[in-house]
Structures are given as structure tokens and as C-alpha cells.
Amino acid sequence: MRSSSGVALNRALLVTLSLLQYASGGLGVNSGVSNYSFPDDFIFGVASAAFQIEGAWNEGGKGESMWDTYIHKHPNYTVDRSNGDVAADSYHRFMDDIEMIKSIGVNYYRLSISWPRLLPNGMDNNISQEGMEYYRTLFEELLKANITPVVTLFHWDMPTPLMDLGGWANPKIVDYFEDYARVVFNLYGDIIKMWTTINEPHQQCYNGYGRNYFVPALMSGGVGDYLCTHYTLLSHARVYRMYEKEFKPYQKGQVAITLDAFWAEPKDPKRPEDVRAAEDYLQMHLAIYAHPIYSDVGDYPKFVRERVNNMSIQQGFSRSRLPYFSAEEIKALQGSSDFFALNHYTTFLMTPSLMEPDWEEPSWDQDTGVRMSQNLSWPRPGADWLTVNPPGFRKVINWISDNYRMLKKIPIIITENGMADWGQTDDYERVSYYNEYLNQVLLAMHEDGCNVKGYFSWTLMDDFEWIDGYSVKFGLFKVDFDDPEKKRTPKLSAHSFGNIARTHRIDFDYIKPPLNLNKLLLE
Ligand SMILES: *[C@@H]1O[C@H](CO)[C@@H](O)[C@H](O)[C@H]1NC(C)=O
Ligand SMILES: *[C@@H]1O[C@H](CO)[C@@H](O)[C@H](O)[C@H]1NC(C)=O
Ligand SMILES: *[C@@H]1O[C@H](CO)[C@@H](O)[C@H](O)[C@H]1NC(C)=O
Ligand SMILES: *[C@@H]1O[C@H](CO)[C@@H](O)[C@H](O)[C@H]1NC(C)=O
Ligand SMILES: *[C@@H]1O[C@H](CO)[C@@H](O)[C@H](O)[C@H]1NC(C)=O
């Protein structure tokens, strides 16, 4: 589509890198880290999401998503008063994106389809010809470049007409999501073999339906969030079973749901109440989604069911705020994923609490009964919520492996991991972050026996980060959003991450800060 000169590796930068490597002594014998490597078939990829990069919000017959509609109506919603109208303009510049992925040498790309770009009003009676062709071209160009696309069906951009009917809180969404997914499998299932259905339902339901930190900003705490949870899970199961019956026998792909988890650390590991609080938190955030799918008993976890029922009764409701599954639904959900897709970023410290000033009643927070805090001695490089604690990654991977046995030696694919910066291209903190976090993956695999099969960096390039607009930058590539060409420039981490992906090894000495200022390097 366009020249890709904007992303060619910059010669001066490469020279700088070699000098840095030289200055730090090249391959380090004293780095003190394990010498484990990733197996040959380990998947390395980068990730993105349609609404965060595509732009072209009203081009090519695209309908509106709830993010388009909501932000146009509430321009102050994002911290920088920005919106996703143009974003990184990947709708027009996807050949640049492909060039960037090629330049760092990873060969998987997790990206999402915009539901309203394909089905302008959300339903399958009207399929956009241009939308259809756009994704076909994109996937084919990726394959030509030897990059395997991994496709997310829903990464938060609910078509506005369906949001107007309640979005994930409407029981009929299960049918509409199935219809949409069938269109997608029919169109692209011949070339796409790895799918995730829904991205991070906890963030979507808790922040979007329970609070106003994400669109649709419904503020229906303790009610709307659980309806969202319930029908998201049922929608996922419906699509998994539909694929299994109608497509899997000949398309032979894999389908999973992408769940997110913070690691929950007891605030004081010596206090049993704090240890309990950390476990309660994981039950309410992660197990509420994972247990129905991956446990050998199925259904919501016992703790979650009892807890929400108890609170509902205390609050005078005549029924639980958390809906019940039928026996048939429990069965459809169990085993409805071919692998465990995990997004992980950070760790919080947990201590019990009955009520906090910023909690509503009822709310998921109050049901959970855990006050979260951060360890301020951990680095916080670029987003308030994201402290760097690499060992938490190993712990959450182990927690999943220990708790879920529906799949034998549960295969785990990290579908997102990364950190934010303030816009610099000399992003030493991110270089350290990737090396440290991937080192924890190696430890989980080699020392704990966890079956991790792949890892996707969030994210390929700086993008629209929801309520944070363009103020928070997660990219391996910097995007100049003021430039009409949206020039992309590799950060140091693009080279470092590419190096890990190509060599299948951690190399802490690959890039170090010129002065020993970096507090993120090994303790
Ligand atoms: C690390 O592993 C590589 C490849 O297996 C090997 O050549 C090298 O000697 C090892 N280094 C150390 C310090 O064990
Ligand atoms: C289909 O969607 C397009 C693009 O939004 C719109 O112009 C057209 O009117 C729709 N057709 C039907 C039958 O809904
Ligand atoms: C939006 O922000 C601007 C600038 O801070 C302010 O003047 C305006 O009143 C705000 N509008 C709304 C609807 O909050
Ligand atoms: C729910 O209430 C019952 C009866 O009071 C109590 O035994 C149980 O521990 C409570 N469960 C939770 C998770 O709060
Ligand atoms: C906070 O982190 C520091 C450094 O890793 C550690 O020594 C301390 O125990 C941590 N505190 C808590 C409450 O976890």
C-alpha cells in the first residue's frame, strides 16, 4: 500500500547499539542469570488490537463501535482528550506494520478484527465488502512475509447498535457473537489457525460495566459486571463449540479465550489474613473466568459463588447478583479452550478490607473484600498501575498450572506482556523488563515444569491506550502521532526483543544504559 521507508532500521541507531554492546563487555559471563533457552518450537510474537491502531473509524463502510460513539459524545473522557479516529492509521499503513514485525524477526502477530468494520451494525445480515477485503489482504500479506496471524475476535470494540441493546449484559449477545464468529471463520478460517475469542473479560466487565474506567462506563457495580461476566463466558463457549462442530474437523485450528491476571501478593506474607486475601483476589479476578473453563469440576469457583450469594442476601436482594449456569451450560464451558491464553503485566499487594472510600455498595470490590496496594520500592516506569515485579510472572504461571487440570499439563500462551514509557526511544527500562520477565518464563518452564508454549509482547507500536489516550506508550516502536505520516521508529527494546526471539535466549548484556542508572537490572 505505501512505502515502508519509515521503518527501515536506522543505521545510526545500529551503530549506537554496537557501541553499547561493546561498552558493556559483549556477552556477559558475570550476568548471573540462568542459561536456559526457549525450545525451538516456542512462539515469539507481538500483539495489537484493532481499535488501538487502525483509525479509519468511518471509512470503508465501517459501522461505529461503542468507543467511537462514546468518545465523540464525551471528548473529555480520555486524559488527553484524544480519540481513536486516526490512531496509528494502520488501516492505511499496515504494510509498514508488517515491515516492522519482519525487521525485528518475530514470526507471529496477534491482532484483532474490528467487529463493526466487518459487520457495520453488528449483525450478519450486512457484511461490509471493504471490511472483508481489508482483513483478507492483511492476513495474506502477513503470511507472505512469513508471519503467522493469531486473531482475536473481540478486543473491546463492541458495535454501537449491540451496545445500545446492553452489549455483553444482554443474553442475546450469545447469538450475535456466534453469528459474527461464524462469518469470520467462513471468511478466514482457511488461513487462520489460532484464535482467541474475547480479550480480558475481567477488565472489560469490571471497568466497563461495573465502573466507568472503560467504555461503556455503565457504573453498574456488582450487577452489570456479573451479567457481563456471565454472558461473555457463555458467548465464548458457544463459539468454541460452534467452531468445534462446524469448522475444526477441516480447518483444524485452535481456539481459546484471553484472560488477564495480576499476580496477588500478600501485603504481609506472615499474616494469614493477607495470604487469604491474595487468594480471594485471584478467585474473584481470574478463577471466576478460568474455573468454569479449565477446572475439572467446572462452574464458578465455590468461593465466588458463596461470597456473592452471601453479600446479595445481606444486601436484601431476593436472588444472587451472580447468575447461575444450567447443567448444560456448565458442560459446554468445561474444556472450551485449547490452551490458556494469559495477559500479565504487574503485581499488587493484598490485605482484607470490608469497605473502602472509593468502593460502591454493591460492587465487585466489596464482594472481593481486598484492598490493593503497590510496593513503592518496585519501579513504576510509565503507568501509575504498573509496577515492575518479575517474580510475580513466574508465580502466576505456576498458580495456573497448579490449579487447572482439565487440560493435561495445561499449555499456556502469554498473549500480552509489556510495560509503558513516556515516549523515549532509549527505553532501557523496557529492555530490562522483557529480559527479566522472559527470564521468569524460562524459570517457570525449566525449574517448575510449566508448559509455556509462546509469548507475545504488548505491543508492536505506541497506540491508543483507552482512557489514557496516547499519553501512555507501550510500543516496541515509537509512533509520531503529530506526524500525518505517523512515522514509526524502533526503540532499543525492538532490537533487544527481536534478539531474544531470534536466539531463543535471554541476554541481559545485549543493551545496557550508558551509565549505571538503571535500577531495573538484576537485584
Ligand atoms: C550456555 O549454553 C550454551 C548453549 O547451550 C553453551 O554453549 C554455553 O557454554 C552455556 N554457558 C554457560 C555459562 O553455561
Ligand atoms: C450495510 O452497512 C452499510 C455501511 O454501514 C450501510 O451503508 C448500509 O445501509 C447497510 N445496509 C443494510 C441493508 O443494512
Ligand atoms: C472539558 O474540558 C475542558 C478543558 O479542561 C473544560 O473547559 C470543559 O468544561 C470540559 N467539558 C466537560 C463537559 O466536562
Ligand atoms: C457464606 O456464608 C456462610 C453462612 O454464614 C458462611 O459459612 C460462609 O463461610 C460464607 N462464605 C463466604 C465465601 O463468605
Ligand atoms: C517491597 O519490595 C522490596 C524490594 O523487592 C522488598 O524487600 C519488600 O519486602 C517488599 N515489601 C512488600 C510489602 O512486599
Side-chain angles (χ1 to χ4, degrees), residues 25-79:
L27 292 177
V29 266
N30 300 321
S31 55
V33 296
S34 71
N35 195 24
Y36 295 124
S37 61
F38 294 96
D40 289 345
D41 61 355
F42 193 86
I43 291 172
F44 277 102
V46 289
S48 75
F51 189 77
Q52 297 180 269
I53 61 168
E54 279 182 5
W57 73 281
N58 58 356
E59 287 179 50
K62 177 178 168 293
E64 288 190 27
S65 80
M66 67 176 186
W67 278 89
D68 295 310
T69 308
Y70 191 88
I71 307 180
H72 290 156
K73 208 179 278 174
H74 305 95
N76 280 7
Y77 182 71
T78 46
V79 301

Side-chain angles (χ1 to χ4, degrees), residues 267 349 375 377-378:
K267 187 155 198 260
L349 305 176
N375 185 337
S377 71
W378 293 338

Side-chain angles (χ1 to χ4, degrees), residues 31 50 61-62 74 115 119 161-162 271-272 306 309 319 348 380 406 439 453 472 475 487 504:
S31 55
K62 177 178 168 293
H74 305 95
W115 184 347
L119 309 182
L162 296 184
R271 280 185 80 215
E306 269 189 32
N309 286 9
R319 68 177 77 238
F348 285 93
R380 233 182 336 170
M406 178 88 197
N439 189 48
K453 307 293 265 183
V472 161
K487 186 172 183 324
H504 282 219

